[in-house]
């Protein structure tokens, strides 16, 4: 199983800055067979970034999607619009969308379905807040997020979903989860998938860890038995650092 390293730029970089980033990044970038790199810039930079990466093996992702095909949804972007821009992956249910924009599990479920209908690869984010962690209900929270997002999906669809375990308290704080906690959460996710589908599907689903991943700690996550990649925010914004992070993951894989 390849590692999937996804960069989530959030609301950062203008078109100009995105192009400059890739001119620098591609120069130093060295493709590693065992690693898929996905970059998720803001919507406004998707076209420009596509042009920069189209001859590399880097894939394009979006940070959000709307659940309807088209219509009166001011400010929203559809699956078809993303496909036309060369987007392959889409982040769904990121904690900033859940907690700042008020997205709920039902909306996330609909987003997941439309992404699958259009053959986009969803990266579904799940994870508990600090308060939920302190109350010892991490497993219940993840189970609820997973169950409502996956409700009614066939096993063949579930297999195409990447799940990013992103504890909310670790995002943008510089306080990454301990690798053993990330492994425990990934194990919980696998168990939930097995209970909902079967062992084969649980084994084939990709699970990423996200939350304060950087070039120094990536090795301790991608070598975990149940974690097959990372979702990176802050540390993906600087081209040389992100290159180092990708290289560090490759070294770990081949070791
Ligand atoms: P971070 O963000 O790496 O800056 O913690 C991760 C994310 O939000 O996906």
């Amino acid at each position: 199983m390849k590692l999937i390293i996804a960069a989530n730029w959030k609301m950062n970089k203008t078109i100009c800055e995105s192009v400059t980033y890739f001119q620098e990044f591609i120069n130093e970038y060295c493709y590693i067979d065992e690693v898929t790199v996905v970059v998720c810039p803001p919507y406004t930079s998707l076209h420009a970034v596509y042009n920069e990466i189209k001859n590399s093996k880097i894939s394009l992702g979006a940070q959000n999607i709307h659940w309807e095909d088209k219509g009166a949804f001011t400010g929203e972007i559809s699956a078809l619009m993303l496909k036309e821009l060369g987007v392959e992956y889409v982040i769904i249910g990121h904690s900033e969308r859940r907690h700042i924009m008020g997205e709920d599990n039902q909306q996330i479920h609909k987003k997941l379905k439309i992404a699958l209908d259009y053959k986009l690869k969803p990266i579904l984010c799940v994870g508990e807040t600090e308060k939920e962690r302190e109350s010892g209900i991490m497993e219940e929270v993840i189970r609820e997020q997973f169950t409502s997002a996956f409700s009614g999906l066939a096993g063949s669809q579930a297999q195409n979903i990447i799940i990013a375990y992103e504890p909310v308290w670790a995002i943008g704080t510089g306080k990454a989860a301990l690798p053993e906690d990330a492994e425990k959460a990934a194990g919980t996710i696998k168990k939930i998938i097995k209970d909902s589908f079967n062992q084969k599907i649980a084994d084939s689903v990709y699970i990423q860890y996200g939350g304060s991943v950087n070039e120094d700690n990536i090795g301790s996550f991608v070598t975990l038995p149940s974690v097959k990649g990372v979702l990176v925010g802050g540390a993906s914004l600087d081209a040389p650092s992100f290159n180092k992070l990708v290289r560090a993951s490759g070294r770990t894989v081949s070791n």
Side-chain angles (χ1 to χ4, degrees):
M1 228 170 173
K2 275 188 162 198
L3 292 180
I4 300 179
I5 300 185
N8 175 13
W9 284 2
K10 310 190 180 185
M11 197 174 72
N12 290 295
K13 297 197 191 295
T14 61
I15 295 175
C16 230
E17 289 166 344
S18 306
V19 170
T20 309
Y21 177 104
F22 272 102
Q23 285 166 353
E24 198 178 351
F25 185 82
I26 302 266
N27 255 344
E28 298 286 311
Y29 177 61
C30 179
Y31 173 71
I32 306 165
D33 229 6
E34 310 89 343
V35 181
T36 300
V37 176
V38 181
V39 183
C40 308
Y43 287 142
T44 45
S45 287
L46 283 169
H47 182 61
V49 169
Y50 175 78
N51 282 332
E52 295 303 316
I53 63 176
K54 65 181 176 212
N55 297 323
S56 70
K57 289 192 167 138
I58 300 169
S59 298
L60 191 60
Q63 299 174 18
N64 190 20
I65 188 171
H66 192 261
W67 60 79
E68 291 290 345
D69 281 317
K70 60 179 170 182
F73 302 101
T74 303
E76 295 293 334
I77 305 283
S78 74
L80 195 58
M81 294 169 187
L82 295 178
K83 293 285 285 191
E84 198 180 31
L85 286 160
V87 167
E88 282 179 70
Y89 292 79
V90 60
I91 300 174
I92 294 178
H94 188 278
S95 72
E96 284 147 19
R97 300 227 42 99
R98 291 179 192 262
H99 298 291
I100 305 174
M101 309 299 165
E103 254 177 41
D104 62 27
N105 282 331
Q106 190 52 32
Q107 292 169 333
I108 290 164
H109 167 65
K110 291 194 281 183
K111 290 180 177 208
L112 207 52
K113 279 195 68 184
I114 196 105
L116 291 167
D117 287 349
Y118 279 86
K119 308 256 175 307
L120 287 161
K121 295 175 196 152
I123 302 177
L124 171 72
C125 301
V126 297
E128 80 287 2
T129 62
E130 183 137 48
K131 202 157 153 236
E132 289 162 342
R133 173 180 150 93
E134 279 161 5
S135 319
I137 55 167
M138 179 271 267
E139 184 166 342
E140 284 91 319
V141 171
I142 294 179
R143 190 175 283 275
E144 168 60 23
Q145 290 171 340
F146 174 88
T147 315
S148 38
F150 275 61
S151 115
L153 296 186
S156 54
Q157 292 176 298
Q159 264 173 328
N160 298 318
I161 300 170
I162 298 157
I163 301 183
Y165 168 62
E166 294 214 307
V168 180
W169 47 270
I171 296 176
T173 58
K175 259 193 334 189
L178 293 173
E180 52 268 36
D181 288 341
E183 177 61 23
K184 190 169 159 221
T188 302
I189 294 169
K190 275 185 181 276
K191 184 172 174 299
I192 298 170
I193 301 175
K194 180 179 163 249
D195 296 346
S196 309
F197 298 98
N198 56 48
Q199 186 67 52
K200 195 164 161 248
I201 293 177
D203 290 340
S204 65
V205 164
Y206 263 95
I207 301 176
Q208 293 179 316
Y209 165 76
S212 298
V213 174
N214 57 40
E215 62 193 80
D216 298 322
N217 66 15
I218 185 168
S220 57
F221 294 109
V222 296
T223 44
L224 293 169
S226 305
V227 173
K228 292 288 167 272
V230 286
L231 184 53
V232 188
S236 68
L237 290 173
D238 174 69
S241 309
F242 189 51
N243 245 322
K244 281 192 205 140
L245 185 151
V246 172
R247 258 186 258 131
S249 76
R251 264 203 305 279
T252 317
V253 178
S254 35
N255 278 347

